[in-house]
């Protein structure tokens, strides 16, 4: 009932400072019910840490495409933090390296 996809690459999207996003990117997250989204994200973090130890996890959220008044809320509840916006208006969220 959920899908989570990680990809490791150096992204050319930046936060307006020219800094490229580096780490393991959550490219897709979709939950169709069942467990809380924040619990699924924490479980996916564990799996990513096993595959890519000590790497930063990051994702993008398009605030215009989500119904929540708090875009990225499930990631924030899972221990992630806001770390910027792309030039195109996407919110950048990250879970810092361990």
């Amino acid at each position: 009932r959920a899908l989570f996809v990680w990809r490791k690459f150096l992204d050319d999207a930046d936060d307006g400072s020219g800094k490229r996003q580096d780490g393991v990117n959550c490219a897709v997250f979709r939950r169709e019910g069942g467990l809380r989204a924040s619990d699924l994200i924490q479980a996916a973090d564990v799996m990513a840490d096993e595959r890519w130890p000590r790497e930063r996890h990051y994702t993008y959220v398009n605030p215009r495409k989500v119904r929540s008044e708090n875009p990225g809320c499930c990631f924030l509840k899972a221990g992630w933090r806001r770390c910027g916006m792309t030039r195109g208006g996407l919110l950048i969220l990250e879970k810092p390296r361990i």
Side-chain angles (χ1 to χ4, degrees), residues 36-51:
R36 289 186 313 186
S38 57
D39 291 337
L40 293 169
I41 292 166
Q42 288 175 334
D45 282 330
V46 169
M47 288 183 231
D49 285 336
E50 289 173 0
R51 175 70 174 90

Side-chain angles (χ1 to χ4, degrees), residues 59-89:
T59 195
Y60 303 106
V61 175
N62 186 338
R64 296 174 303 276
K65 300 275 181 159
V66 296
R67 287 181 266 165
S68 173
E69 292 182 20
N70 186 11
C73 179
C74 56
F75 283 90
L76 299 172
K77 287 183 178 184
W80 291 46
R81 66 182 179 199
R82 292 180 182 94
C83 65
M85 297 286 286
T86 67
R87 291 179 187 187

Side-chain angles (χ1 to χ4, degrees), residues 3-47:
L3 173 68
F4 208 103
V5 177
W6 293 107
R7 63 182 177 168
K8 171 75 172 109
F9 77 119
L10 183 61
D11 198 343
D12 62 0
D14 67 59
D15 60 6
S17 68
K19 178 185 171 199
R20 295 170 64 181
Q21 299 302 312
D22 187 17
V24 182
N25 173 251
C26 167
V28 177
F29 174 53
R30 177 76 180 184
R31 181 183 73 91
E32 294 292 331
L35 297 174
R36 289 186 313 186
S38 57
D39 291 337
L40 293 169
I41 292 166
Q42 288 175 334
D45 282 330
V46 169
M47 288 183 231

